[in-house]
Tab-separated table of all heavy atoms in Angstrom:
chain	number	residue	atom	x	y	z
L	35	SER	N	128.807	106.795	89.592
L	35	SER	CA	127.486	106.236	89.507
L	35	SER	C	126.994	106.212	88.034
L	35	SER	O	127.114	107.193	87.351
L	35	SER	CB	126.514	107.111	90.297
L	35	SER	OG	125.203	106.621	90.257
L	36	LEU	N	126.461	105.048	87.584
L	36	LEU	CA	126.168	104.798	86.178
L	36	LEU	C	124.693	104.821	86.028
L	36	LEU	O	123.925	104.337	86.819
L	36	LEU	CB	126.690	103.479	85.758
L	36	LEU	CG	128.282	103.415	85.628
L	36	LEU	CD1	128.691	101.983	85.381
L	36	LEU	CD2	128.835	104.338	84.513
L	37	SER	N	124.264	105.277	84.793
L	37	SER	CA	122.897	105.168	84.432
L	37	SER	C	122.827	104.873	82.880
L	37	SER	O	123.838	105.205	82.165
L	37	SER	CB	122.103	106.463	84.667
L	37	SER	OG	122.613	107.466	83.980
L	38	LEU	N	121.761	104.214	82.461
L	38	LEU	CA	121.670	103.837	81.069
L	38	LEU	C	121.624	105.105	80.257
L	38	LEU	O	120.875	106.043	80.493
L	38	LEU	CB	120.376	103.074	80.830
L	38	LEU	CG	120.130	102.540	79.465
L	38	LEU	CD1	121.222	101.536	79.053
L	38	LEU	CD2	118.763	101.795	79.359
L	39	ASN	N	122.497	105.163	79.209
L	39	ASN	CA	122.674	106.271	78.346
L	39	ASN	C	122.995	107.576	79.071
L	39	ASN	O	122.619	108.642	78.659
L	39	ASN	CB	121.427	106.469	77.417
L	39	ASN	CG	121.266	105.261	76.534
L	39	ASN	OD1	122.154	104.532	76.179
L	39	ASN	ND2	119.969	104.961	76.245
L	40	GLY	N	123.750	107.433	80.206
L	40	GLY	CA	124.183	108.576	80.997
L	40	GLY	C	125.283	109.412	80.363
L	40	GLY	O	125.779	109.060	79.295
L	41	ALA	N	125.672	110.474	80.998
L	41	ALA	CA	126.641	111.418	80.542
L	41	ALA	C	128.007	110.723	80.346
L	41	ALA	O	128.346	109.887	81.049
L	41	ALA	CB	126.793	112.559	81.448
L	42	ASN	N	128.777	111.250	79.351
L	42	ASN	CA	130.193	110.808	79.171
L	42	ASN	C	130.916	111.121	80.482
L	42	ASN	O	130.585	112.077	81.221
L	42	ASN	CB	130.861	111.539	78.028
L	42	ASN	CG	130.358	111.157	76.609
L	42	ASN	OD1	129.656	110.124	76.512
L	42	ASN	ND2	130.606	111.871	75.683
L	43	ILE	N	131.979	110.376	80.663
L	43	ILE	CA	132.862	110.540	81.854
L	43	ILE	C	134.127	111.234	81.350
L	43	ILE	O	134.911	110.630	80.593
L	43	ILE	CB	133.170	109.103	82.477
L	43	ILE	CG1	131.806	108.439	82.849
L	43	ILE	CG2	134.056	109.231	83.702
L	43	ILE	CD1	131.982	106.946	83.018
L	44	PRO	N	134.419	112.436	81.883
L	44	PRO	CA	135.606	113.137	81.417
L	44	PRO	C	136.888	112.576	81.901
L	44	PRO	O	136.942	112.031	83.084
L	44	PRO	CB	135.327	114.565	81.942
L	44	PRO	CG	134.463	114.395	83.119
L	44	PRO	CD	133.609	113.124	82.839
L	45	VAL	N	137.952	112.797	81.178
L	45	VAL	CA	139.291	112.380	81.590
L	45	VAL	C	140.125	113.605	81.869
L	45	VAL	O	140.278	114.485	80.959
L	45	VAL	CB	140.002	111.581	80.480
L	45	VAL	CG1	141.508	111.239	80.927
L	45	VAL	CG2	139.244	110.314	80.134
L	46	ASP	N	140.499	113.776	83.196
L	46	ASP	CA	141.170	114.973	83.565
L	46	ASP	C	142.656	115.106	83.193
L	46	ASP	O	143.195	116.139	82.977
L	46	ASP	CB	141.033	115.202	85.093
L	46	ASP	CG	139.551	115.435	85.458
L	46	ASP	OD1	138.839	115.990	84.612
L	46	ASP	OD2	139.156	114.997	86.569
L	47	ALA	N	143.350	113.960	83.246
L	47	ALA	CA	144.811	113.973	83.023
L	47	ALA	C	145.224	112.809	82.127
L	47	ALA	O	144.683	111.665	82.275
L	47	ALA	CB	145.473	113.890	84.381
L	48	THR	N	146.203	112.963	81.292
L	48	THR	CA	146.700	111.925	80.417
L	48	THR	C	147.432	110.934	81.287
L	48	THR	O	148.180	111.321	82.232
L	48	THR	CB	147.608	112.464	79.361
L	48	THR	OG1	146.843	113.361	78.506
L	48	THR	CG2	148.303	111.431	78.564
L	49	GLY	N	147.298	109.616	81.030
L	49	GLY	CA	148.034	108.585	81.786
L	49	GLY	C	147.444	107.242	81.747
L	49	GLY	O	146.371	107.022	81.019
L	50	SER	N	147.973	106.346	82.482
L	50	SER	CA	147.451	104.906	82.588
L	50	SER	C	146.421	104.913	83.753
L	50	SER	O	146.752	105.466	84.817
L	50	SER	CB	148.649	104.037	82.853
L	50	SER	OG	148.146	102.713	83.026
L	51	TYR	N	145.320	104.365	83.520
L	51	TYR	CA	144.226	104.264	84.504
L	51	TYR	C	143.785	102.761	84.619
L	51	TYR	O	143.681	102.072	83.682
L	51	TYR	CB	143.007	105.070	84.005
L	51	TYR	CG	143.232	106.551	84.064
L	51	TYR	CD1	143.909	107.210	83.124
L	51	TYR	CD2	142.714	107.266	85.173
L	51	TYR	CE1	144.085	108.628	83.190
L	51	TYR	CE2	142.941	108.627	85.317
L	51	TYR	CZ	143.523	109.311	84.335
L	51	TYR	OH	143.704	110.615	84.366
L	52	LYS	N	143.422	102.431	85.921
L	52	LYS	CA	142.699	101.214	86.168
L	52	LYS	C	141.207	101.503	86.233
L	52	LYS	O	140.756	102.399	86.989
L	52	LYS	CB	143.166	100.619	87.472
L	52	LYS	CG	142.512	99.291	87.842
L	52	LYS	CD	142.980	98.795	89.169
L	52	LYS	CE	142.214	97.571	89.613
L	52	LYS	NZ	142.614	97.069	90.920
L	53	ILE	N	140.511	100.906	85.374
L	53	ILE	CA	139.027	101.215	85.318
L	53	ILE	C	138.284	99.957	85.700
L	53	ILE	O	138.546	98.803	85.145
L	53	ILE	CB	138.696	101.547	83.793
L	53	ILE	CG1	139.495	102.730	83.368
L	53	ILE	CG2	137.184	101.804	83.723
L	53	ILE	CD1	139.434	102.906	81.872
L	54	THR	N	137.434	100.012	86.669
L	54	THR	CA	136.579	98.953	87.167
L	54	THR	C	135.084	99.274	86.950
L	54	THR	O	134.691	100.350	87.302
L	54	THR	CB	136.849	98.749	88.668
L	54	THR	OG1	138.247	98.533	88.882
L	54	THR	CG2	136.042	97.589	89.157
L	55	LEU	N	134.397	98.342	86.334
L	55	LEU	CA	132.993	98.478	86.035
L	55	LEU	C	132.274	97.374	86.808
L	55	LEU	O	132.579	96.219	86.543
L	55	LEU	CB	132.716	98.399	84.536
L	55	LEU	CG	131.308	98.220	84.069
L	55	LEU	CD1	130.520	99.402	84.385
L	55	LEU	CD2	131.271	97.878	82.602
L	56	ASP	N	131.307	97.768	87.629
L	56	ASP	CA	130.439	96.812	88.349
L	56	ASP	C	129.024	96.929	87.873
L	56	ASP	O	128.316	97.905	88.184
L	56	ASP	CB	130.485	97.074	89.837
L	56	ASP	CG	129.732	96.065	90.679
L	56	ASP	OD1	128.830	95.430	90.217
L	56	ASP	OD2	130.164	95.833	91.864
L	57	VAL	N	128.614	96.059	86.955
L	57	VAL	CA	127.366	96.102	86.272
L	57	VAL	C	126.163	95.927	87.269
L	57	VAL	O	125.164	96.585	87.256
L	57	VAL	CB	127.216	95.213	85.147
L	57	VAL	CG1	125.811	95.146	84.545
L	57	VAL	CG2	128.218	95.580	84.064
Side-chain angles (χ1 to χ4, degrees):
S35 180
L36 293 169
S37 61
L38 184 61
N39 300 329
N42 288 347
I43 302 162
V45 177
D46 294 330
T48 297
S50 177
Y51 287 83
K52 179 180 178 184
I53 303 167
T54 303
L55 169 64
D56 185 331
V57 176

